[in-house]
């Protein structure tokens, strides 16, 4: 009985072991077949991917290295970069601390001169990053990086003070003298005005940026001297903000007491240097505007308005020259809306650099800029109707008497 039981146990054990071996062989065959199928399916994909992968694509820099650097004349430099090669080299020297290549890099760095040229070309043409990249033989992210570094570096570093700064007392005296020679009004050291710059607004804040014409913008407030140069700018208020509120939120308003002062007695009234503004601004002792049009306006007051209007065209001309040079200010930029003020500040600084270097504005640029501006018309003027400052009224009256006594009446 024991032997029979042992034999049964051994037979059962042998059967279990055999079945386990068959199961393992079956699983092994299934795994092998699955692996073969996967390899056969993935091999073409892996082969195609290995053919497409590259560490760095070869791009042609022929236009910059051969055409621009070796063949361009000054007019071609101005058409593409808004300045002659002499001025361009000077600008590169001033921006070296901001945009110079890193000393240690994996690949050959883009030279400083090419970096500056890429930024100027982008700002002047307002072309897409991809088009600028193809022109210079670099990647579009490289173009975007250089634009950001250049604009932020110029606005955030001491470099901008080489281009935009409040005049000293000596400089203010010279500005006032030249304004008086041109427009007969004494003591003017600048004209203040505003213009709207298109912006790509955030999706949840469109209404905040929409101006009264319905398109999103930032308000650029600027003070211009007699040479069409900006010596104070402010670009941080969205398009719905009126000019008088932009002024009150600016550093200029809060530090007006620090403006250069050189009193001059006119018709018995001591008058310091002041700015000229349009009816959108308040009348103050340092900001003079014309009289409001009404049936009671006198011929002398009407003539004063005419003289002021003539002088204020200085600011309009400066904005026109600014936008003619840098078309990025005429179209909705492809940069983030929070970065747009940096671009505007950099363009104003570059404008001053060009004016200081006596770089002329091509009339063709102006015509093309005027055509672009038709797509986004500037908002109309909203007059400031709150009561005027008493000292401002006294100064304006003295200037009115001075002009009517010494120069012909105008209408």
């Amino acid at each position: 009985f024991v032997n029979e039981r042992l034999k049964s146990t051994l037979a059962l054990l042998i059967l279990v072991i055999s079945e386990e071996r068959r199961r393992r062989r079956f699983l092994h065959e299934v795994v092998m077949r699955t692996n073969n199928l996967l390899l056969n399916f993935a091999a073409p994909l892996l082969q195609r991917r290995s053919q497409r992968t590259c560490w760095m694509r070869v791009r042609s820099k022929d236009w910059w290295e051969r055409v621009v650097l070796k063949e361009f004349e000054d007019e071609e430099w101005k058409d593409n970069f808004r300045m002659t090669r002499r001025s361009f080299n000077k600008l590169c020297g001033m921006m070296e601390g901001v945009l110079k290549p890193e000393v240690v890099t994996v690949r050959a760095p883009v030279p400083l001169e090419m970096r500056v040229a890429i930024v100027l070309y982008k700002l002047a043409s307002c072309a897409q990053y991809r088009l600028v990249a193809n022109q210079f033989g670099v990647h579009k992210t490289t173009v975007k990086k250089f634009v950001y570094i250049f604009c932020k570096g110029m606005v955030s570093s001491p470099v901008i003070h080489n281009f935009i700064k409040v005049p000293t007392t000596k400089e203010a005296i010279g500005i006032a003298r030249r304004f008086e020679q041109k427009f007969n009004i004494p003591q003017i050291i600048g004209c203040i005005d505003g213009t709207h710059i298109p912006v790509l607004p955030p999706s949840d804040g469109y209404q905040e940026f929409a101006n009264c014409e319905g398109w999103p913008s930032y308000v650029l407030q600027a003070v211009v001297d007699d040479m069409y140069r900006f010596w104070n700018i402010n670009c941080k208020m969205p398009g719905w903000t009126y000019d008088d509120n932009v002024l009150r939120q600016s550093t200029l308003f809060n530090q007006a007491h620090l403006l250069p002062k050189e009193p001059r007695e006119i018709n018995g009234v001591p008058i310091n240097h002041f700015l000229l503004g349009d009816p959108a601004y308040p009348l103050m002792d340092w900001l003079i505007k014309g009289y409001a049009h009404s049936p009671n306006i006198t011929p002398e007051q009407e003539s004063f308005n005419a003289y002021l209007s003539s002088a204020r065209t200085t600011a309009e001309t400066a904005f026109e020259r600014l936008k003619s040079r840098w078309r990025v200010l005429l179209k909705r930029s492809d940069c983030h809306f929070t970065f747009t003020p940096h671009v505007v500040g950099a363009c104003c600084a570059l404008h001053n650099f060009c004016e200081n270097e006596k770089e002329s504005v091509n009339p063709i640029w102006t015509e093309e800029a005027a055509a672009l501006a038709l797509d986004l018309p500037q908002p109309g003027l909203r007059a400031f109707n709150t009561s005027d400052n008493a000292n401002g009224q006294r100064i304006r009256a003295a200037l009115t008497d001075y002009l009517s006594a010494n120069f012909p009446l105008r209408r």
Side-chain angles (χ1 to χ4, degrees), residues 321-366:
R321 293 169 72 88
L322 169 71
K323 296 179 180 181
S324 296
R325 284 189 172 108
W326 313 113
R327 293 183 190 173
V328 71
L329 303 180
L330 287 166
K331 301 175 69 175
R332 291 179 186 173
S333 176
D334 45 10
C335 66
H336 196 269
F337 75 95
T338 58
F339 191 72
T340 298
H342 290 80
V343 176
V344 175
C347 288
C348 290
L350 288 170
H351 165 86
N352 280 7
F353 174 79
C354 290
E355 295 294 342
N356 288 335
E357 297 301 313
K358 310 300 180 186
E359 297 286 357
S360 60
V361 173
N362 191 324
I364 296 177
W365 306 347
T366 305

Side-chain angles (χ1 to χ4, degrees), residues 2-259:
V2 174
N3 289 336
E4 289 296 327
R5 192 172 182 180
L6 181 59
K7 287 179 181 180
S8 299
T9 303
L10 289 173
L12 181 61
L13 182 59
I14 291 171
L15 181 63
V16 171
I17 293 173
S18 300
E19 187 65 27
E20 180 65 20
R21 286 177 178 175
R22 282 196 298 271
R23 191 179 69 83
R24 288 183 180 178
R25 282 198 299 269
F26 175 74
L27 291 177
H28 180 71
E29 290 176 359
V30 170
V31 171
M32 292 299 294
R33 288 176 184 176
T34 304
N35 288 341
N36 289 335
L37 287 173
L38 290 174
L39 288 173
N40 291 333
F41 176 77
L45 297 178
L46 293 173
Q47 185 177 7
R48 285 200 297 271
R49 180 168 181 175
S50 63
Q51 292 172 350
R52 293 171 55 188
T53 302
C54 63
W55 180 69
M56 183 178 67
R57 179 175 295 174
V58 177
R59 303 176 189 272
S60 174
K61 297 181 175 62
D62 182 71
W63 183 75
W64 168 253
E65 295 176 346
R66 185 184 64 82
V67 179
V68 176
L69 293 181
K70 296 182 179 179
E71 298 181 12
F72 264 20
E73 301 293 338
D74 271 351
E75 283 304 312
E76 293 166 303
W77 273 90
K78 291 183 67 173
D79 282 341
N80 288 275
F81 309 111
R82 297 310 192 241
M83 61 189 69
T84 60
R85 187 165 187 175
R86 177 191 61 80
S87 298
F88 175 83
N89 291 336
K90 183 175 181 179
L91 178 64
C92 288
M94 300 178 77
M95 296 301 296
E96 184 176 4
V98 173
L99 209 59
K100 66 180 178 181
E102 297 178 2
V103 177
V104 180
T105 57
V106 176
R107 65 186 77 176
V110 177
L112 170 66
E113 292 77 11
M114 186 174 174
R115 294 176 179 222
V116 175
I118 287 173
V119 176
L120 297 183
Y121 190 89
K122 166 65 177 174
L123 298 180
S125 65
C126 198
Q128 296 178 0
Y129 286 115
R130 175 179 54 83
L131 298 179
V132 179
N134 291 340
Q135 188 78 349
F136 284 88
V138 296
H139 194 270
K140 64 181 181 180
T141 57
T142 302
V143 177
K144 188 173 185 177
K145 181 180 73 172
F146 290 160
V147 170
Y148 271 63
I149 294 175
F150 183 97
C151 294
K152 187 173 183 179
M154 176 171 281
V155 173
S156 304
S157 71
V159 174
I160 197 169
H161 299 301
N162 295 323
F163 304 108
I164 302 176
K165 58 183 178 180
V166 177
T168 63
T169 300
K170 182 178 179 180
E171 291 169 339
I173 292 173
I175 294 172
R177 183 180 66 253
R178 292 191 298 270
F179 261 119
E180 185 172 4
Q181 291 171 349
K182 290 180 181 179
F183 305 108
N184 301 324
I185 306 175
Q187 296 295 83
I188 302 173
I189 60 170
C191 296
I192 184 171
D193 205 350
T195 188
H196 286 251
I197 306 297
V199 65
L200 189 65
S203 57
D204 59 346
Y206 188 95
Q207 291 301 321
E208 182 180 353
F209 283 87
N211 55 47
C212 60
E213 287 290 334
W215 51 274
S217 63
Y218 272 110
V219 182
L220 168 61
Q221 173 189 280
V223 181
V224 181
D225 68 10
D226 62 299
M227 306 294 287
Y228 310 120
R229 296 170 302 193
F230 304 109
W231 58 257
N232 181 274
I233 61 171
N234 177 279
C235 186
K236 61 183 181 181
M237 302 302 292
W240 64 268
T241 317
Y242 292 117
D243 288 352
D244 59 297
N245 288 329
V246 174
L247 174 65
R248 295 183 186 280
Q249 297 297 322
S250 67
T251 304
L252 175 68
F253 185 85
N254 295 324
Q255 298 182 359
H257 60 284
L258 300 178
L259 293 176

